[in-house]
Amino acid sequence: QVQLVETGGGLVQPGGSLRLSCVASGTIFSIYAMGWYRQAPGKQRELVAIIISGTNINYADSVKGRFTISRDNAKNTVYLQMNSLKPEDTAVYYCNAGIVGLGLNEGDYWGQGTQVTVFS
């Protein structure tokens, strides 16, 4: 079993900052990708940022220059530093990870989501 647990969401004013964290735990052999998605009310879930194979990083155009994704391999943790937040960043943010289990089975896992609300 693998679990992803996110923390760090909350309420913030425009221009403010938040840092999200996501810890993966369970029967993990390796993690080949970790990232963040978000879903605003009435909209589809969209990619925010992702780290693939530890070095390949991609961001949504809407967050480039404002958000930074990073990963601590020793802690099986991925972070999302969000600066210069805008009201349009309001959404539920989900952690996602591509994980190889101890039986060398691959799986795609999701966290439960954490709410980020940017209000003025």
Side-chain angles (χ1 to χ4, degrees):
Q1 280 284 41
V2 173
Q3 283 189 321
L4 302 181
V5 178
E6 303 117 330
T7 56
L11 301 173
V12 65
Q13 292 186 326
S17 298
L18 285 174
R19 189 192 194 208
L20 306 183
S21 300
C22 171
V23 180
S25 63
T27 54
I28 297 171
F29 176 74
S30 67
I31 303 175
Y32 53 86
M34 295 191 84
W36 294 92
Y37 289 72
R38 67 186 181 187
Q39 187 166 18
K43 295 188 177 181
Q44 289 187 331
R45 190 172 297 188
E46 62 175 1
L47 173 69
V48 177
I50 189 168
I51 299 178
I52 301 172
S53 300
T55 57
N56 185 8
I57 296 177
N58 290 303
Y59 293 97
D61 287 342
S62 58
V63 307
K64 285 180 180 177
R66 300 188 298 122
F67 291 10
T68 302
I69 189 170
S70 60
R71 180 175 161 182
D72 185 333
N73 293 330
K75 297 180 179 179
N76 287 342
T77 300
V78 65
Y79 304 96
L80 185 68
Q81 178 66 43
M82 304 185 293
N83 299 328
S84 303
L85 282 160
K86 304 175 181 180
E88 51 263 44
D89 295 318
T90 295
V92 178
Y93 283 70
Y94 295 92
C95 178
N96 174 262
I99 293 174
V100 179
L102 295 180
L104 301 184
N105 52 302
E106 295 184 11
D108 188 52
Y109 297 90
W110 293 90
Q112 79 285 357
T114 185
Q115 178 71 45
V116 171
T117 302
V118 185
F119 71 102
S120 52

